[in-house]
Amino acid sequence: MSDGKRPGKKAQKSAETRRRVLSAAGDLFVAQGYGATTLQEVADRAGVAVQTVYFVFGNKRRLLKELVDVTIAGDDEPVATLDRPWFREAMAAATAREHLLRHVAGTRAVLERVAPMTKVLEVAAATDPEVPQMWPEAEDPRHVVATAAARSLMAKPGARREVPVEDAADLLYGVLSPDLYLLFVRERGWAPERFERWAYETLLRDLVEHE
């Protein structure tokens, strides 16, 4: 009689190995750069054989692709940002002010994870022309999210009706950008909470009617 728990344990061990490798790769790519980091270094940091890294991810580009995707999502579940609980909760808010508050808070949590990786990705794309081809989307996914949020937010009570949805989307896209987050938090030493408060107050002035 076979032990029904074995496949589950095997899958759990495989998932844990994948998480360790992704964590190690993220630390090394941010600290020393994508190009300078070898898969052997990733394997050593993760405590696995380098053959395991190749078996699980295939090559360094695929490792980077999965790392970026998981970093954006916050986990390895195949759920788009538009279907994430934080985004859906913001979309369900009754007023523009509440929607903005929830959207900025949720986005800040994403930026804490994603912003450092954006610089890694920019350098990797500049040195390896095959890296950008791993994200073939015709439209910037960040702008897709900003547009969906703006369309909902500007239709709610309290929104400034004179502001076009397109302008609201651009403001969300710009103020809540990884570049701006890094400028304030990494370069100027702001706490993430301070950036969140500033972003909310800045967007509030432009998108929501004064009470």
Side-chain angles (χ1 to χ4, degrees):
M1 185 174 178
S2 62
D3 183 359
K5 293 184 178 179
R6 285 181 182 174
K9 289 182 179 179
K10 183 177 180 180
Q12 186 176 13
K13 182 178 179 181
S14 177
E16 177 56 32
T17 297
R18 180 180 291 270
R19 283 192 289 269
R20 289 209 316 273
V21 172
L22 287 170
S23 177
D27 291 344
L28 289 169
F29 288 168
V30 170
Q32 60 190 37
Y34 170 78
T37 300
T38 67
L39 290 185
Q40 183 64 63
E41 289 175 310
V42 173
D44 291 343
R45 190 179 186 94
V48 301
V50 70
Q51 290 84 357
T52 299
V53 179
Y54 280 108
F55 177 78
V56 174
F57 296 98
N59 56 47
K60 192 161 74 165
R61 291 190 196 96
R62 296 301 307 173
L63 174 58
L64 176 65
K65 171 68 164 63
E66 184 153 348
L67 175 61
V68 171
D69 290 347
V70 168
T71 300
I72 291 171
D75 55 45
D76 54 6
E77 296 297 322
V79 180
T81 299
L82 298 181
D83 295 320
R84 289 277 160 178
W86 71 266
F87 188 84
R88 294 178 68 87
E89 288 171 7
M91 295 284 278
T95 67
R97 183 179 293 266
E98 182 186 356
H99 186 151
L100 184 62
L101 184 68
R102 290 174 179 267
H103 182 79
V104 171
T107 304
R108 191 265 284 183
V110 174
L111 287 172
E112 283 190 76
R113 301 190 304 268
V114 172
M117 282 303 303
T118 61
K119 293 302 179 185
V120 171
L121 190 56
E122 285 177 10
V123 174
T127 56
D128 184 347
E130 293 189 34
V131 167
Q133 297 175 17
M134 295 190 294
W135 287 273
E137 297 95 340
E139 194 170 5
D140 185 340
R142 272 210 319 116
H143 197 265
V144 170
V145 171
T147 299
R151 188 174 294 117
S152 175
L153 189 153
M154 301 312 290
K156 290 177 177 174
R160 291 183 59 183
R161 301 300 180 190
E162 71 273 18
V163 179
V165 168
E166 294 79 7
D167 289 356
D170 286 345
L171 286 167
L172 292 173
Y173 181 84
V175 172
L176 297 172
S177 69
D179 286 339
L180 207 53
Y181 179 86
L182 287 176
L183 175 66
F184 283 114
V185 175
R186 177 179 290 180
E187 296 188 27
R188 301 309 309 155
W190 284 25
E193 294 80 8
R194 182 182 177 189
F195 174 84
E196 179 183 336
R197 185 170 61 253
W198 169 83
Y200 170 69
E201 292 172 351
T202 298
L203 291 165
L204 190 69
R205 287 194 296 270
D206 287 329
L207 303 180
V208 178
E209 293 176 346
H210 300 298
E211 293 183 343

